[in-house]
Amino acid sequence: MPQYQPQTDTPPKITNALSVDVEDYFQVAAFENQCALSTWESMECRVERNMERILALFDEYNIKATFFTLGWVAERHPRIVQRIVTEGHELASHGYQHRRATTQSRTEFREDVYRAKELLEAIGAQPVNGYRAPSYSIGAGNLWALDTLQEIGHEYSSSIYPVRHDLYGMPDAPRYPFRSHCGLLEIPISTVRLGRRNLPFGGGGFFRLYPYALSRWGIKRINDAEGQAAVFYFHPWEIDAEQPRIEGASRRSRFRHYLNLDKTEARLKRLLADFKWGRMDEVFSNALQNTYRPTFASPPHELAKNSV
Ligand SMILES: [Zn+2]
């Protein structure tokens, strides 16, 4: 007699990629004029306690994620890196000094990303394959940065935000993972296409700005209507409403940085419960295994040689 099989209308949930950019509140680009690198040592450190909360939260929801970790933070708090690795998360690089790629020469960029990769691999005792540029600062004007990342041995970048924004973005870049002109896999942050525009739905300040229902709608649309995995990110300082306030920054910078910090952790818990989440390298393992490499250099407007 055949066994009864319950029928379900709900298809299996798509696993989305969850990522954290591991940096402290004084290292963000919005405060770069107020908090120079030379002052960082004297600032109150909050990243360690915020990371404890994040790792506990991921453990509670049984979620593995990718941590794009700043080299400067890893060097001073190696325990954070070791916990990321021992708890089964993916360790990835956010560069060493949190300088936007757009403000660096090729040599400076190369030194920064090389230093971060070496350091993270030494502390974490495992290969570091992923990289995310500070403030999504890779775009049409500096695609050479992708060549550098590949030469140094990264297997993917998650540094292009296909949106129009005053500080970053490459609005006509592909919205889903693609092989760039040099063959490096780029995994863009999530957007929703509305009319002729891409709206940012990948987290950060927009997650704090939008009501939670809107963020949920965006990710559901990416999963259900487009059949794609979303790429979401946040920062440890975004769950820290008590962080010291930085004086002297512009109104816009302060609005962007401090908006709804007290609401973020509760929203994150809903997000973790409502969707299925995983590490970048596991969610995009098929794309990473596709080893397409172009054999000739391409002009920047031919950025995407091959969607994967
Ligand atoms: Zn950052």
Side-chain angles (χ1 to χ4, degrees):
M1 197 172 146
Q3 267 200 319
Y4 171 71
Q5 294 285 333
Q7 295 295 310
T8 167
D9 292 326
T10 23
K13 278 186 180 177
I14 287 181
T15 305
N16 298 296
L18 183 60
S19 62
V20 182
D21 293 357
V22 182
E23 64 196 39
D24 222 329
Y25 63 98
F26 50 82
Q27 294 169 322
V28 300
F31 297 150
E32 65 189 3
N33 294 329
Q34 288 71 38
C35 307
L37 176 67
S38 57
T39 68
W40 289 2
E41 293 281 9
S42 63
M43 305 289 279
E44 181 190 336
C45 164
R46 309 280 297 186
V47 69
E48 208 160 16
R49 78 192 77 179
N50 292 332
M51 279 295 293
E52 300 265 336
R53 286 166 65 189
I54 291 166
L55 289 166
L57 196 63
F58 289 179
D59 185 45
E60 185 187 331
Y61 286 82
N62 197 22
I63 283 170
K64 304 299 177 204
T66 294
F67 290 82
F68 293 97
T69 306
L70 195 64
W72 192 94
V73 170
E75 201 166 42
R76 283 150 187 86
H77 307 285
R79 214 178 131 259
I80 292 178
V81 175
Q82 286 152 359
R83 277 199 63 189
I84 289 169
V85 171
T86 55
E87 294 180 23
H89 303 288
E90 182 191 6
L91 177 64
S93 168
H94 197 33
Y96 180 80
Q97 202 180 307
H98 211 265
R99 276 186 66 194
R100 281 172 286 152
T102 41
T103 67
Q104 296 183 79
S105 69
R106 292 185 189 210
T107 307
E108 288 169 335
F109 180 76
R110 185 185 189 85
E111 284 172 5
D112 184 272
V113 294
Y114 183 81
R115 185 177 181 186
K117 192 172 190 296
E118 290 274 291
L119 184 67
L120 291 166
E121 288 180 344
I123 300 171
Q126 63 172 222
V128 165
N129 297 322
Y131 171 82
R132 175 169 291 153
S135 307
Y136 300 103
S137 53
I138 297 180
N142 61 351
L143 291 173
W144 52 261
L146 298 177
D147 300 68
T148 305
L149 292 171
Q150 189 179 44
E151 283 159 24
I152 287 174
H154 297 87
E155 295 201 353
Y156 75 91
S157 154
S158 180
S159 306
I160 292 179
Y161 211 155
V163 293
R164 204 171 293 284
H165 187 277
D166 58 340
L167 301 178
Y168 52 76
M170 186 175 177
D172 51 1
R175 295 177 49 234
Y176 292 113
F178 63 94
R179 291 274 167 193
S180 70
H181 63 282
C182 62
L184 187 73
L185 183 71
E186 170 62 36
I187 305 176
I189 304 301
S190 283
T191 56
V192 166
R193 186 86 177 157
L194 272 188
R196 297 170 69 183
R197 287 182 71 114
N198 297 335
L199 299 184
F201 267 88
F206 296 100
F207 184 65
R208 287 181 286 120
L209 176 68
Y210 301 155
Y212 175 71
L214 184 60
S215 291
R216 186 178 54 198
W217 170 84
I219 294 173
K220 259 185 81 61
R221 180 164 156 150
I222 290 163
N223 288 170
D224 298 348
E226 305 194 33
Q228 298 274 356
V231 178
F232 185 89
Y233 79 100
F234 69 98
H235 303 93
W237 53 264
E238 291 189 287
I239 58 162
D240 184 7
E242 311 300 317
Q243 65 189 267
R245 293 314 192 243
I246 304 293
E247 301 295 329
S250 69
R251 273 177 72 137
R252 176 182 279 197
S253 292
R254 280 185 283 126
F255 174 78
R256 284 177 173 169
H257 189 91
Y258 297 122
L259 179 73
N260 290 335
L261 292 178
D262 56 339
K263 298 189 175 72
T264 311
E265 189 166 350
R267 285 184 189 175
L268 266 177
K269 287 180 178 173
R270 295 183 67 183
L271 190 77
L272 299 186
D274 285 347
F275 296 92
K276 201 171 159 195
W277 298 99
R279 300 161 44 139
M280 302 275 290
D281 61 347
E282 290 180 359
V283 170
F284 298 106
S285 60
N286 286 343
L288 277 162
Q289 280 159 21
N290 172 350
T291 52
Y292 168 85
R293 295 283 183 273
T295 53
F296 55 91
S298 310
H301 67 271
E302 284 185 42
L303 175 71
K305 295 303 295 180
N306 189 18
S307 63
V308 288

